[in-house]
Amino acid sequence: MTFIDPSRGAKTMNFAEMRTWTAAWDTYDSAVHGVLRMPTFYPVVRHENWWGCGVSLTDLRSLAREHGIPVAWVPPPGVLRRLVEADTVHAAKLKILAESQQEILDLCVEKHAECTDEWLEEEADVAGKALAAWQDGHLQAAAALALLGSEDLMYQVTRVARAKSYAGLKEAAQKEPDGWFQHAQYTLAPLEPLYTQYWPKNNDPLPESLSRHAVVHNFPLEHLNEGHSIVAVMLMISILRECQQRAEEVRHDMLLA
């Protein structure tokens, strides 16, 4: 089967072309069509790590909302494909993450290196320390640092006032993607299960997906397992890289003003 990029050779893109091209781009699967160069305009409407994954937007959003696994900026496309193809039980998804640990770490390091805006200097420093801990073999320590260190970023990227607390973050994550540039909403989707209500004093059952409240209020090490630890670091990198993207857009608009 051959994949033809409809944007090949184009130097501009209008909205009609955007609609046509994205429909074609979303069908590209590198495992079927072979490795192809990413189109120039692809990152305008899709996340770079989706190129060639062969996964539908519906399945990407389900992976993020149902399992709390980031899908924006990280992990690599091959990992996304394997995650979606795996059994629907949560443990199967975590197994894929554990088996793909080095691939994921490498892309996290690459995306972190792209986060250079001075507005994000402190957050990028925290993320760098989390990655260093992971590289040194201290994955759970990396996860704890990433989970707590990314909270300010979550408020930044959702534009939710801290007065609304965690309910506001969860509400922002639940919004359905819409508009021309809906891919940005996929960055937020994992926050929905992350902030599932959990109170140990009420004997609430431990959430299946990574839970911020379980880590902070109870800290059961069996919950912060290898898979969930990878999710925590991925989440920080995903949100940090999204903030970098938005900072670049703001600075570009400032130059044009």
Side-chain angles (χ1 to χ4, degrees), residues 119-134:
W119 289 341
L120 302 170
E121 186 174 354
E122 290 185 3
E123 292 86 350
D125 186 43
V126 172
K129 286 179 168 56
L131 289 173
W134 187 359

Side-chain angles (χ1 to χ4, degrees), residues 58-144:
T58 299
D59 285 342
L60 285 171
R61 186 153 168 77
S62 294
L63 183 64
R65 292 188 68 183
E66 295 172 14
H67 298 279
I69 297 174
V71 298
W73 301 105
V74 291
V79 176
L80 283 174
R81 184 187 304 112
R82 295 195 294 273
L83 283 166
V84 170
E85 291 174 348
D87 194 291
T88 56
V89 298
H90 188 65
K93 309 299 186 185
L94 298 186
K95 184 173 184 290
I96 295 295
L97 293 177
E99 293 172 347
S100 310
Q101 183 172 162
Q102 191 59 53
E103 290 177 72
I104 297 170
L105 174 57
D106 289 344
L107 186 57
C108 284
V109 170
E110 179 183 322
K111 293 296 120 182
H112 174 258
E114 296 172 359
C115 299
T116 57
D117 195 281
E118 63 182 16
W119 289 341
L120 302 170
E121 186 174 354
E122 290 185 3
E123 292 86 350
D125 186 43
V126 172
K129 286 179 168 56
L131 289 173
W134 187 359
Q135 290 170 315
D136 288 342
H138 306 294
L139 181 53
Q140 284 181 316

Side-chain angles (χ1 to χ4, degrees), residues 211-249:
S211 164
R212 179 266 180 198
H213 300 324
V215 173
V216 172
H217 298 304
N218 196 19
F219 204 45
L221 288 180
E222 68 272 15
H223 182 70
L224 200 61
N225 52 44
E226 188 175 27
H228 282 166
S229 294
I230 293 171
V231 167
V233 182
M234 284 171 57
L235 184 59
M236 182 172 201
I237 296 300
S238 175
I239 295 176
L240 178 65
R241 185 59 183 83
E242 184 68 24
C243 287
Q244 171 69 27
Q245 184 73 13
R246 297 188 185 187
E248 291 173 7
E249 292 168 359

Side-chain angles (χ1 to χ4, degrees), residues 61 154 157-160 164 166-176 185 188-189 191-192:
R61 186 153 168 77
M154 293 175 191
V157 78
T158 58
R159 297 172 184 165
V160 169
K164 295 190 70 174
Y166 303 123
L169 295 177
K170 190 168 182 178
E171 289 171 9
Q174 291 171 331
K175 291 180 181 177
E176 292 296 326
Q185 181 64 25
L188 309 182
L191 301 187
E192 183 177 351

